[in-house]
Amino acid sequence: LKSNPSNNEEKEAQTQLTKSDELQRLHSQALSAYRREDYIAAISLLDEILAVCVWDAELRELRAECYIKEGEPSKAISDLKAAAKLKNDNTEAFYKISQIYYQLGDHELSLSEVRECLKLDQDHKQCFSLYKQVKKLNKQIESAEELIREGRYEDAISKYNSVMKTEPEVPVYTTRAKERICHCLSKNQQSSEAIKVCTEVLQLESTNVNALKDRAEAYLLEDMYEE
């Protein structure tokens, strides 16, 4: 405005200044909503700001935090992936993405993301700790699946029991391990055990089609046709 005060530019500059003031006000409101744990309001305000400030990594990270609190992990991942690209050496974003994938039961993608973090900083304590855990779990699951392919069901059951010991805190891994143990027992014609474990799986996840099929096979072995 001061360097070249022509009518056109003055109008444009005033518009931008007004918009800037409005965005700062929205930003303060978003932070306030976040602090009082009103995450839906914070997301709505951040949506407005990010429609204009598309390349702001910190705002995307804040919105991702709100999505995590609201139980929308896929939206959080989307924002964190953008933040990882927008900000150099963003180890924190890779760490959080890896954590979310891990909690969702996607150990392979979790491993891939935590490796990206360690590429940027091999001494990152949180990433290294998570890496060790995910790598161990990933190896056990891969090994168990290989044993199933070879028809070594007893060994596979033992390996999936190890999976449950390695990660007792995240329910999805317990459910997955029990589902595969149910499959192994059914295939190994240990029908009464299979029925018991498959039923446990279905109590945890009533729509688990694999457990229903494996329990059906076990019922057939027991001549329980109605069931």
Side-chain angles (χ1 to χ4, degrees), residues 120-156:
L120 295 170
D121 177 6
Q122 60 189 26
D123 299 321
H124 194 290
K125 280 184 183 171
Q126 287 174 305
C127 283
F128 187 65
S129 170
L130 182 60
Y131 171 71
K132 282 198 299 184
Q133 172 71 4
V134 187
K135 191 181 177 193
K136 181 181 179 183
L137 191 76
N138 194 54
K139 195 172 177 185
Q140 286 176 332
I141 292 169
E142 281 182 353
S143 170
E145 287 301 310
E146 182 60 33
L147 290 165
I148 290 172
R149 283 192 290 275
E150 291 170 6
R152 294 166 60 189
Y153 299 117
E154 289 288 346
D155 294 337

Side-chain angles (χ1 to χ4, degrees), residues 1-13:
L1 268 174
K2 284 174 182 169
S3 68
N4 195 358
S6 71
N7 271 348
N8 270 352
E9 282 167 0
E10 185 173 355
K11 209 180 261 181
E12 173 64 14

